[in-house]
Amino acid sequence: MTQNAYDIAIVGAGMVGAAIACGLGPTGLRIAILDRTPPPPFDANQAPDIRVSALSYASEQILRNLGAWQFISAMRTCPYQRMGVTEKLNTPLTFAGSPLNQTLFDSTDIGYPYLGQIVENNVTQLGLHQAMAQYKNIDILCPSDITSIDFDASLPTIFFGQDDPSDKTTQLTAKLIIGADGALSKVRDWASIGINSNQYEQQALVATVEYQGTQQDITWQAFTSTGPLAFLPLMDVNEKHYGSLVWYDLPDKIRQLMAQDDDTFIGEVT
Ligand SMILES: Cc1cc2nc3c(=O)[nH]c(=O)nc-3n(C[C@H](O)[C@H](O)[C@H](O)COP(=O)(O)OP(=O)(O)OC[C@H]3O[C@@H](n4cnc5c(N)ncnc54)[C@H](O)[C@@H]3O)c2cc1C
């Protein structure tokens, strides 16, 4: 086996690619993982990043088994104990004083400390990178910009960095190539794998909101006739409280919100 011959090459070291690498690490197979950019370093003083995910308790266990959770929790996460879901139908019906169209899930009802944790995608990715760096059989080739893949060669060959086919330092072969290069995957295109896609009637606006009061332990989701609104608590940074607002609505409404000045937009959010 030459230096550039791998059992598995993973294109894309985002949350998905890095998680796959961590899962494959214990097999001892020779693995290369490539990405054009490394995850940004963690800065505890920075306000929460705009891209966050609600990781359920079960997802946390997966990340724990992959060896990444210890690194993620050493950076920052925000547990949520409750989840409130409301259907905004303006119905006057109530039962025992509560609107019929409202449900509250509470982790104490099932004996768990929390339902899940809100984690910045960058933090999840960085924790997975720290976990996979522990495997000697994984080569992290980052930064590497994949420019093409030759599926007709005797072994599939990935070219990265430049297009010169005689430059062996910027190519590798793999028995299996995993395309984890995101929604607009080039690997999918090069492998001639088609997709069917539909445009939703809604678009989404995502905003990080700083709020006053006390740190929240509840995620809110309100389903309206034009799309859901979600408000997720985020981690405190330097004693400031943050939340992630996800506002789905008709494309015209989202365009209108985006065009507003800050004061008008904050008024709408409030
Ligand atoms: C606003 C928003 C909200 C979302 N909310 C949720 C949610 O609540 N829950 C949920 O489950 N999902 C959510 N998602 C989706 C979720 O973020 C994605 O599914 C997830 O990030 C995909 O991860 P990934 O690793 O597959 O891709 P990505 O994070 O896109 O990573 C792909 C990686 O491949 C690399 N790459 C791409 N092309 C090349 C190339 N040619 N050469 C080298 N490297 C390359 C990129 O640099 C990148 O690091 C949301 C997405 C958005 C945009």
Side-chain angles (χ1 to χ4, degrees):
M1 193 180 250
T2 68
Q3 201 189 346
N4 287 343
Y6 290 89
D7 294 307
I8 300 175
I10 303 168
V11 180
M15 292 193 290
V16 171
I20 293 171
C22 290
L24 289 170
T27 62
L29 292 167
R30 193 152 183 256
I31 297 162
I33 181 163
L34 308 95
D35 202 299
R36 59 165 73 101
T37 47
F42 175 63
D43 177 357
N45 289 312
Q46 209 163 51
D49 192 63
I50 187 86
R51 290 191 67 178
V52 302
S53 297
L55 300 180
S56 69
Y57 200 78
S59 296
E60 179 188 319
Q61 301 316 309
I62 292 172
L63 289 163
R64 205 179 283 282
N65 291 337
L66 292 175
W69 189 256
Q70 53 173 320
F71 300 112
I72 294 169
S73 58
M75 287 179 272
R76 60 187 183 193
T77 66
C78 178
Y80 57 94
Q81 277 89 39
R82 298 176 297 150
M83 182 191 287
V85 183
T86 312
E87 193 171 27
K88 290 208 163 226
L89 296 175
N90 299 322
T91 166
L93 298 175
T94 59
F95 178 72
S98 297
L100 274 180
N101 50 359
Q102 189 169 306
T103 300
L104 185 71
F105 299 94
D106 192 325
S107 63
T108 55
D109 292 344
I110 51 170
Y112 279 58
Y114 47 80
L115 291 174
Q117 307 238 23
I118 313 290
V119 187
E120 294 150 281
N121 290 2
N122 285 341
V123 167
T124 302
Q125 188 193 6
L126 200 54
L128 287 160
H129 274 243
Q130 287 167 338
M132 73 182 172
Q134 297 178 318
Y135 290 103
K136 290 196 167 47
N137 53 321
I138 300 180
D139 286 345
I140 305 171
L141 306 177
C142 190
S144 302
D145 196 357
I146 316 301
T147 49
S148 62
I149 299 178
D150 182 356
F151 284 105
D152 295 327
S154 54
L155 276 174
T157 306
I158 295 179
F159 297 89
F160 51 97
Q162 53 168 293
D163 283 321
D164 179 2
S166 64
D167 181 358
K168 301 284 183 202
T169 63
T170 55
Q171 54 182 272
L172 60 82
T173 62
K175 295 173 193 161
L176 174 69
I177 294 176
I178 297 175
D181 51 340
L184 304 173
S185 169
K186 294 297 288 181
V187 174
R188 183 180 61 211
D189 289 349
W190 290 323
S192 303
I193 298 170
I195 52 164
N196 288 318
S197 64
N198 284 313
Q199 181 66 44
Y200 285 92
E201 281 176 20
Q202 288 123 9
Q203 289 183 359
L205 177 156
V206 186
T208 303
V209 178
E210 185 191 329
Y211 62 88
Q212 293 172 339
T214 51
Q215 158 78 321
Q216 300 290 299
D217 69 348
I218 182 165
T219 72
W220 286 108
Q221 290 179 52
F223 290 83
T224 77
S225 57
T226 53
L229 292 167
F231 192 72
L232 314 174
L234 295 176
M235 49 297 296
D236 282 359
V237 180
N238 295 330
E239 297 176 9
K240 289 182 179 167
H241 307 310
Y242 293 95
S244 176
L245 173 75
V246 188
W247 187 327
Y248 288 85
D249 217 312
L250 301 174
D252 281 349
K253 175 69 178 178
I254 296 295
R255 266 192 293 277
Q256 181 208 327
L257 290 170
M258 301 272 281
Q260 287 172 346
D261 60 50
D262 285 357
D263 287 344
T264 315
F265 176 67
I266 289 167
E268 289 254 20
V269 170
T270 306

